[in-house]
Amino acid sequence: MIHARGLVQTFTTGRGKQTKEVRAVDGVDLDIAEGEVVGFLGPNGAGKTTTLRMLTTLLRPTSGTATVNGYDVLTQSVQVRRSIGYVSQAGSTFSQALAGDEVSDHGQLYGMSRRDAVARGKQLFDDLQLDGLWDRMPKNMSGGQKRRLDIVMGLIHDPTLVFLDEPTTGLDPQARANLWEHIARLRTERGATVFLTTHYLDEADALSDRILIIDNGRIVAADTPDNLKSQVSGDLVRLEFADAAHVPNVATALGDIGSDVVVDGAAVSARVRGSARIVPGLLRDLEARGATLDSIEIVKPTLDDVFLTLTGRSLRDETSTPDTAQPDKEIA
Ligand SMILES: Nc1ncnc2c1ncn2[C@@H]1O[C@H](COP(=O)(O)OP(=O)(O)OP(=O)(O)O)[C@@H](O)[C@H]1O
Ligand SMILES: [Mg+2]
């Protein structure tokens, strides 16, 4: 469905002597199979949107090759565009038209009859909980409603390959959950392939068959969520005691069975592989020594831990910024 080799995008910023080259995407290889839902994760500025723009032919790669749906992004951009759905991070620009008219015009642009476009559009409005807004101007919609309208526009022609750039940013929890369901159904009911970027680790985890993590323009990991998480060395076990006197002994014991031991006052934590088997024995041992536990916490590795392990930084603090950058090189 999607195959890319050595995709590179460099941007030149600044003027005169201040010119600087930004290597936004730095040699990306991708292979995405039909029917896969792939989550594309990475911090702000990692190169996610730039990669998507190259794959959707909105930006000509500086170097490298890619085929999308069997079409070459460089020489067959019209065919690529006809065969995909794309919801950009910035959203669509809307005219003064009514939402329903925009949607059905958009469908007709893809060769649908007006009747089919209206029927499909109304179904999507219903699915994405936009009922009652068909005759509303987009400028009079809330941010989350507009975002869902963007998604309707991207899906109106029933594409079998869909690119979604942060589709759920700005949606309330209920609208997010609803969109997750819709994305899952695109795959199960229509066999669609979905390539989506997100900052929400739980979202990537819940939706994706496979996750690609990009950092500084390079893919640093590509695997199923479970395999990625099993790369992190064990569950995080945190024990807190009524009396800090026991902490040094416990830290030593945890050091023997795990790694990354951290002492914090009367609490001690460590990464322990197979914690379900190991921790009960440890607790019995502690009890025998008279150490009274105040609390115990065992946390399975998350995708954020994976990112932290791979890059030494956390993804969790990242917040999304709207993509307002203008591309240097557009393909007409
Ligand atoms: N038209 C442009 N001109 C100059 N630099 C650009 C341009 N577009 C993007 N960049 C830079 O390229 C890098 C990658 O940007 P990109 O938008 O692909 O990141 P992203 O992973 O989508 O981030 P976010 O999570 O914030 O959406 C950033 O450093 C960005 O500032
Ligand atoms: Mg982006």
Side-chain angles (χ1 to χ4, degrees):
M1 270 276 150
I2 306 175
H3 301 284
R5 287 292 169 273
L7 275 188
V8 171
Q9 184 65 240
T10 57
F11 294 111
T12 315
T13 55
R15 289 213 177 92
K17 285 197 175 136
Q18 306 291 313
T19 351
K20 219 177 79 193
E21 194 176 81
V22 181
R23 220 168 159 79
V25 174
D26 193 9
V28 161
D29 295 341
L30 287 174
D31 289 289
I32 293 172
E34 190 172 347
E36 260 193 311
V37 176
V38 174
F40 199 29
L41 272 174
N44 287 142
K48 302 181 294 296
T49 296
T50 308
T51 304
L52 248 62
R53 293 177 66 89
M54 288 192 280
L55 293 174
T56 54
T57 79
L58 295 169
L59 196 59
R60 179 179 277 273
T62 308
S63 64
T65 56
T67 59
V68 170
N69 263 329
Y71 301 115
D72 189 313
V73 295
L74 290 173
T75 57
Q76 296 176 295
S77 58
V78 174
Q79 290 90 330
V80 171
R81 290 181 193 195
R82 287 224 155 247
S83 70
I84 61 170
Y86 174 50
V87 176
S88 77
Q89 183 172 4
S92 319
T93 40
F94 297 102
S95 64
Q96 295 290 312
L98 303 178
D101 290 342
E102 286 245 13
V103 165
S104 64
D105 284 355
H106 202 71
Q108 289 175 81
L109 212 64
Y110 279 101
M112 297 174 89
S113 70
R114 178 157 188 90
R115 209 186 138 123
D116 287 351
V118 168
R120 167 101 175 121
K122 291 204 160 158
Q123 178 64 49
L124 284 168
F125 265 54
D126 201 40
D127 290 349
L128 295 177
Q129 300 174 320
L130 288 169
D131 18 314
L133 299 180
W134 186 262
D135 293 319
R136 175 87 60 91
M137 277 199 225
K139 66 170 183 177
N140 297 330
M141 290 183 176
S142 77
Q145 290 167 340
K146 260 189 256 179
R147 192 65 190 137
R148 280 177 277 158
L149 182 59
D150 290 335
I151 293 159
V152 171
M153 301 277 268
L155 299 178
I156 183 69
H157 55 298
D158 216 355
T160 51
L161 172 57
V162 187
F163 293 88
L164 303 170
D165 199 352
E166 296 193 29
T168 62
T169 299
L171 297 191
D172 67 39
Q174 195 260 339
R176 266 181 83 200
N178 178 256
L179 184 61
W180 287 15
E181 247 174 62
H182 193 81
I183 292 172
R185 281 210 309 272
L186 281 178
R187 199 255 310 266
T188 51
E189 290 174 11
R190 295 173 183 265
T193 310
V194 181
F195 191 36
L196 85 147
T197 79
T198 179
H199 285 273
Y200 299 110
L201 299 157
D202 55 340
E203 180 164 298
D205 203 351
L207 281 176
S208 315
D209 301 312
R210 213 148 53 86
I211 287 182
L212 307 180
I213 299 181
I214 185 168
D215 190 31
N216 291 322
R218 290 168 188 259
I219 306 272
V220 293
D223 214 329
T224 62
D226 284 346
N227 284 350
L228 284 176
K229 284 184 276 182
S230 69
Q231 286 179 14
V232 178
S233 43
D235 306 333
L236 185 68
V237 176
R238 186 173 187 278
L239 307 171
E240 193 167 349
F241 297 90
D243 181 355
H246 296 289
V247 165
N249 280 338
V250 177
T252 311
L254 279 174
D256 291 342
I257 57 170
S259 61
D260 305 341
V261 180
V262 177
V263 173
D264 176 15
V268 53
S269 63
R271 291 246 164 234
V272 180
R273 275 189 194 275
S275 64
R277 273 178 293 110
I278 291 176
V279 171
L282 176 73
L283 294 182
R284 277 195 298 274
D285 194 35
L286 290 174
E287 203 175 275
R289 291 195 221 172
T292 315
L293 263 185
D294 243 13
S295 73
I296 172 164
E297 209 181 345
I298 299 181
V299 185
K300 292 257 164 227
T302 63
L303 287 175
D304 193 48
D305 296 322
V306 175
F307 191 76
L308 193 68
T309 307
L310 287 167
T311 68
R313 284 178 289 122
S314 171
L315 256 178
R316 198 168 280 151
D317 308 327
E318 302 291 344
T319 48
S320 166
T321 48
D323 180 16
T324 48
Q326 290 302 309
D328 290 349
K329 298 154 270 177
E330 292 266 6
I331 302 174

